[in-house]
Amino acid sequence: MIENINYISLLIIPLFILFTILYGTFKKVSVYDSFVAGAKEGPGIILKIFPYLITIFIAIKGFQSSGAFEYVTSGFYSLFAFLDIPMEVISMAIIKPLSGSASTALFTDIVKTTGPDSLATKMTAVIMGSAETTFYVLAVYLGAVSIRKTRYLVPVCLIADFVGIVVAVAVVRWLF
Amino acid sequence: MNIIWLLLLSVSIVFAIFTGNLEVFTKSIFDGAKSAVEISLFLLGIVSVWMGITRILEDSGLIYRIAHLFKPIISRLFSNIPGDHPSITAITLNVLANLFGLGNAATPLGIKAMQELDALNEDKGTITFEMMIFIVLNTASIQLIPFSVIGILSGFGATNPAGVVLPVLIATVISAMTALAILFTFRKILK
């Protein structure tokens, strides 16, 4: 089942490209020139996104390295001690919205230290699979079209992230 | 974002001073700058490729045909997109790429979707509700199979690495639904 889906997802992009260029040719489009014209837009888009990325990245990296991250983690740990959630899960809950690479590194570390079948591994695995690097998504998508007034988007995303973590923990408790 | 950025940086600097992590902190700021450059270069590649492909979709008119096909589904959620607008195609392709875990396609197609949604934006620089729905859908990350997580789990010899598929699916669907519910609640309250 998993292998089949893996194969399908490997197939999707090549097939989609093939269909696109064949359909284009059939409609008498010069596909080579079209592709070049489209690709020309790439650098402009990245130039728009770059300042947003660097702004958010220095804050996140600084937060991780300053010792504030560990302090916030243990703060949340004692705050939610009555829920009996493993410390590793709290760390993951805080790092996942901030940094994709850091959360992958943390997850690998959790699997290594607590074992591949531990409760902490299961909970963090579900968080890894069901949450996104919210601040990266925000920087890239808002940067791409130079949105400055985000209205209530950021609070909604943060509340949703929090709910997502609670759901992940609850689902693991319920299924295992 | 302003408050979050201010908090993250100022709290970090105060902590760095009190814990004696100043050297590490300063280095990490420049590490952050470096990874922003690296990720931008990576994005430059994949975004340009997908802008090339989607230009063929536009020039051949396929983008309108796909939009027409998926309009009934997409417009249930995005009620303010007129006709067979190209943004419908970009949103559809982004959602499909996310479902199959194709990160290298999902982000560029998401950028394309944001551009198309911005074309409908009458007040440039201010986010529209449609853009908010789209971003919330993306931050909730609906994915059928979390391949990378399964890969790490089986690498460390988990008894049943694929056992995470069902809980991830349940968790991701519930959190995506709640995220949308929260967004629509905010709109109702703040109207």
Side-chain angles (χ1 to χ4, degrees), chain A residues 34 41 55 65 148-149 151, chain B residues 5 12 28 55 59 125 127:
Chain A
S34 276
E41 276 181 52
T55 307
S65 71
R148 294 178 59 220
K149 291 196 182 119
R151 291 159 75 191
Chain B
W5 194 73
S12 302
S28 73
R55 180 61 68 92
D59 292 349
I127 198 162

Side-chain angles (χ1 to χ4, degrees), chain A residues 88-89 92 102-126 128, chain B residues 148-161 164:
Chain A
E88 292 84 0
V89 178
M92 179 59 85
S103 53
T104 306
L106 179 66
F107 178 62
T108 313
D109 188 54
I110 291 171
V111 182
K112 215 185 285 176
T113 51
T114 68
D117 294 312
S118 71
L119 185 67
T121 294
K122 288 198 171 97
M123 285 180 175
T124 46
V126 174
M128 282 291 288
Chain B
S148 58
V149 174
I150 295 177
I152 295 172
L153 284 177
S154 60
F156 283 94
T159 40
N160 181 18
V164 297

Side-chain angles (χ1 to χ4, degrees), chain A residues 14-170:
Chain A
L15 276 186
F16 183 74
I17 296 177
L18 180 69
F19 180 71
T20 305
I21 53 176
L22 289 183
Y23 184 88
T25 309
F26 175 72
K27 286 279 173 184
K28 300 195 170 48
V29 172
S30 165
V31 288
Y32 175 83
D33 296 313
S34 276
F35 191 98
V36 171
K40 204 179 264 176
E41 276 181 52
I45 296 168
I46 301 306
L47 273 181
K48 276 187 179 172
I49 296 173
F50 176 70
Y52 288 84
L53 272 185
I54 199 161
T55 307
I56 195 71
F57 272 33
I58 61 162
I60 288 166
K61 286 273 179 183
F63 179 69
Q64 276 175 262
S65 71
S66 65
F69 169 60
E70 285 81 9
Y71 194 83
V72 171
T73 305
S74 53
F76 273 102
Y77 183 62
S78 18
L79 194 63
F80 294 104
F82 64 97
L83 288 174
D84 196 27
I85 298 170
M87 184 75 158
E88 292 84 0
V89 178
I90 309 273
S91 308
M92 179 59 85
I94 296 170
I95 206 72
K96 181 71 200 176
L98 297 176
S99 164
S101 57
S103 53
T104 306
L106 179 66
F107 178 62
T108 313
D109 188 54
I110 291 171
V111 182
K112 215 185 285 176
T113 51
T114 68
D117 294 312
S118 71
L119 185 67
T121 294
K122 288 198 171 97
M123 285 180 175
T124 46
V126 174
I127 295 174
M128 282 291 288
S130 67
E132 240 324 317
T133 318
T134 306
F135 285 90
Y136 172 73
V137 173
L138 288 176
V140 170
Y141 285 175
L142 295 174
V145 287
S146 310
I147 295 291
R148 294 178 59 220
K149 291 196 182 119
T150 55
R151 291 159 75 191
Y152 42 87
L153 176 69
V154 178
V156 168
C157 286
L158 291 179
I159 298 171
D161 277 343
F162 180 75
V163 174
I165 302 293
V166 175
V167 169
V169 169

Side-chain angles (χ1 to χ4, degrees), chain A residues 141 144, chain B residues 90-91 93-94 105-115 134 138:
Chain A
Y141 285 175
Chain B
I91 293 169
L93 295 178
N94 165 271
T107 310
L109 290 166
I111 291 171
K112 181 78 189 164
M114 286 298 287
Q115 288 180 325
F134 180 71
N138 267 274

Side-chain angles (χ1 to χ4, degrees), chain B residues 23 100 163:
Chain B
E23 204 184 327
F100 286 95

Side-chain angles (χ1 to χ4, degrees), chain A residues 16 19 23, chain B residues 57-58 60-76 78 81-93 96 116 120:
Chain A
F16 183 74
F19 180 71
Y23 184 88
Chain B
L57 289 181
E58 284 165 12
S60 64
L62 192 56
I63 200 162
Y64 304 102
R65 293 198 145 215
I66 300 175
H68 186 72
L69 201 64
F70 285 93
K71 184 173 171 56
I73 306 169
I74 298 291
S75 59
R76 268 167 202 253
F78 298 83
I81 299 178
D84 297 337
H85 195 264
S87 60
I88 297 172
T89 305
I91 293 169
T92 309
L93 295 178
L96 287 176
E116 296 293 352
L120 296 169

Side-chain angles (χ1 to χ4, degrees), chain B residues 120-136:
Chain B
L120 296 169
N121 190 358
E122 284 165 10
D123 185 10
K124 296 273 187 279
T126 303
I127 198 162
T128 64
F129 190 67
E130 263 61 34
M131 290 177 179
M132 287 201 253
I133 303 176
F134 180 71
I135 291 178
V136 165

